[in-house]
Amino acid sequence: MKLKLMHAALAVALALPTGLALSQGAPKISGGTVKIGVLTDLSGVYSDLGGQGSIIASQMAIADWVAKNKPAFKVEMVSADHQNKADIGSAKVREWYDTQGVDMVTDALNSGVAIAVAKVTAEKNKILIDTGAASTRLTNEDCTPNTVHYVYDTFALAAGPGKAVTKAGGDSWFFLTADYAFGVSLEQDTTAAVKAAGGRVIGSVKHPLNASDFSSFVLQAQASKAKVVGLANAGGDTVNSIKAAVEFGLTKNQTLVGLLTQITDVHALTLQVTQGMQFTEGFYWDLNDETRAWSRRYFEKMKKMPTMVQAGTYSAITTYLNAVKAAGTDDTATVMKQLKTAPINDFFAKNGRIREDGRMLHDFYLVQVKKPSESKVPWDYYNVKAVLKADEAAQPMSASRCPFIKKS
């Protein structure tokens, strides 16, 4: 059933009071407006990861930045639902660039959509700061000088549990994999991590995006006798595959690892079901005073704690607007140069930096879901087992397959 396109009813225009003219020395901003497009999944399998939460986080970022910086230009936002379809996503972005003056697109959940959007963005010489998609193709085969991969990728997701679970005795793996770019990348990167830690992969099975029934896939995983079943999927597919695994008793004899599990998934499934699961997170609301303060503001609006995608979208927009201000223009090449120069220090990332290939380097966290008895307040779901330093959580540049990266 086709999902209804829910495009852009949202235009946030925040600026100095109307009638205040740009000063003679004001930044060179095309049309006097910086416009940001939030392309997300508003009604499908990934809507909890980004969706309306990404739109709210974007509104917060723009409002906070304008209040703090009082720019002599407008900042506007539009949004759309890509329906998890690359053709719809790329067509919407092309329309934004051609007719609505959009300068930068963010979120872009779903790797298939993101790769298509990256190509249109490069063609139109605009900027994509991807906060939602995971495939490492965005900084490898499909990299462009106009793309920033900001929040996470499949290499980072694999680095934590792939090594830790294998070294803890889970040395044989079977994968349930979403059958598109993201799932394939996640399985490949986790396989590499498992083998590097001395483990082996027995097999895998691919399932369609937004699968309605996981029983046959779970039964194949069960029959494999692998010690670990890795879920190379996300969102509703992760939730439904975990439900099926519990229903069929898989977790009695095998360890289940949700390679892209978000706090909203844990909330939906309950601690009773997810306790003990380990995975990599790029953000957790309860890490420190800064993360708690921002997350509580977000909670007031959404009545749920943010995912790393939603927190990262706020950070990405703030970072972009800071770069525009520092560059004194919204010219793409000038802003991209500034983005790759300035360090990122906010509640989301400390000493973050955007590498030559577009990957934003920041720390990640190997977390384990608490037992119900360990959780003291609502959304108190994780124990942080280890911090994965930025360089450890990113594919080394020596392994880059990005066409425009010069190798010595």
Side-chain angles (χ1 to χ4, degrees):
M1 176 176 165
K2 290 186 177 178
L3 299 174
K4 185 180 177 183
L5 183 62
M6 299 173 59
H7 103 199
L10 202 133
V12 180
L14 297 163
L16 289 177
T18 359
L20 207 72
L22 297 181
S23 67
Q24 194 172 359
K28 297 174 183 177
I29 303 298
S30 53
T33 301
V34 171
K35 187 174 277 192
I36 295 165
V38 182
L39 185 71
T40 189
D41 175 6
L42 283 169
S43 50
V45 68
Y46 297 146
S47 56
D48 274 349
L49 276 73
Q52 188 62 29
S54 282
I55 291 173
I56 292 295
S58 300
Q59 290 176 313
M60 290 171 65
I62 294 170
D64 289 350
W65 191 87
V66 168
K68 179 180 179 181
N69 292 276
K70 299 178 173 54
F73 54 85
K74 293 180 180 179
V75 182
E76 295 182 354
M77 188 189 94
V78 292
S79 64
D81 183 357
H82 57 52
Q83 302 182 43
N84 288 301
K85 294 178 180 176
D87 57 343
I88 290 176
S90 58
K92 174 52 64 179
V93 166
R94 187 179 295 277
E95 176 193 323
W96 281 348
Y97 293 150
D98 286 345
T99 68
Q100 296 194 37
V102 166
D103 298 291
M104 185 273 278
V105 168
T106 192
D107 189 318
L109 265 166
N110 183 311
S111 294
V113 172
I115 289 166
V117 167
K119 291 174 182 174
V120 175
T121 300
E123 175 193 333
K124 298 295 180 179
N125 195 30
K126 302 293 185 177
I127 293 174
L128 169 64
I129 304 184
D130 193 290
T131 58
S135 176
T136 50
R137 281 175 55 181
L138 285 166
T139 50
N140 283 292
E141 296 88 347
D142 295 294
C143 73
T144 82
N146 301 62
T147 297
V148 174
H149 204 177
Y150 198 87
V151 173
Y152 70 109
D153 64 12
T154 52
F155 187 96
L157 296 177
K163 293 177 183 175
V165 174
T166 302
K167 287 182 177 178
D171 56 5
S172 61
W173 286 62
F174 185 94
F175 291 99
L176 263 66
T177 302
D179 192 10
Y180 76 108
F182 154 66
V184 171
S185 287
L186 187 50
E187 180 183 332
Q188 287 174 345
D189 286 330
T190 309
T191 295
V194 167
K195 289 181 177 178
R200 63 194 177 97
V201 174
I202 291 175
S204 68
V205 60
K206 289 183 171 59
H207 67 77
L209 181 65
N210 201 17
S212 57
D213 183 3
F214 280 87
S215 56
S216 65
F217 309 122
V218 167
L219 289 171
Q220 287 181 64
Q222 213 166 14
S224 75
K225 305 294 185 186
K227 293 179 182 178
V228 181
V229 176
L231 303 179
N233 53 20
D237 284 339
T238 295
V239 170
N240 290 329
S241 49
I242 292 172
K243 285 179 179 177
V246 171
E247 179 185 346
F248 284 93
L250 182 147
T251 52
K252 292 177 181 176
N253 300 304
Q254 293 166 290
T255 299
L256 199 60
V257 175
L259 294 163
L260 176 47
T261 303
Q262 301 275 284
I263 195 165
T264 46
D265 302 329
V266 174
H267 187 74
L269 288 161
T270 74
L271 293 181
Q272 188 63 43
V273 172
T274 57
Q275 59 183 308
M277 285 184 65
Q278 293 186 53
F279 44 89
T280 301
E281 272 277 20
F283 176 81
Y284 178 42
W285 75 271
D286 202 18
L287 283 173
N288 54 53
D289 288 344
E290 277 188 280
T291 59
R292 284 188 284 272
W294 184 84
S295 298
R296 283 168 180 151
R297 288 181 57 215
Y298 175 92
F299 185 88
E300 286 302 308
K301 298 176 182 295
M302 285 297 293
K303 306 307 175 191
K304 59 177 74 173
M305 286 301 179
T307 65
M308 64 176 167
V309 171
Q310 292 152 350
T313 298
Y314 178 104
S315 176
I317 289 176
T318 304
T319 297
Y320 171 74
L321 291 172
N322 285 340
V324 170
K325 180 185 176 183
T329 178
D330 58 356
D331 172 72
T332 293
T334 309
V335 173
M336 284 300 298
K337 183 177 179 181
Q338 180 63 31
L339 283 168
K340 292 180 179 181
T341 301
I344 298 164
N345 282 293
D346 59 14
F347 73 93
F348 179 78
K350 296 300 178 192
N351 300 313
R353 65 181 179 90
I354 297 170
R355 205 165 58 175
E356 185 185 358
D357 62 350
R359 184 72 178 93
M360 201 277 266
L361 303 182
H362 63 96
D363 293 347
F364 283 79
Y365 309 93
L366 177 64
V367 302
Q368 185 169 42
V369 179
K370 291 183 173 183
K371 298 174 183 176
S373 59
E374 294 176 312
S375 180
K376 305 305 179 189
V377 295
W379 298 87
D380 173 26
Y381 293 160
Y382 297 163
N383 286 313
V384 177
K385 306 295 287 183
V387 177
L388 305 176
K389 291 300 181 183
D391 289 335
E392 181 187 355
Q395 174 186 283
M397 286 297 290
S398 59
S400 175
R401 303 182 299 281
C402 177
F404 71 83
I405 297 298
K406 294 177 182 176
K407 295 185 181 179
S408 53

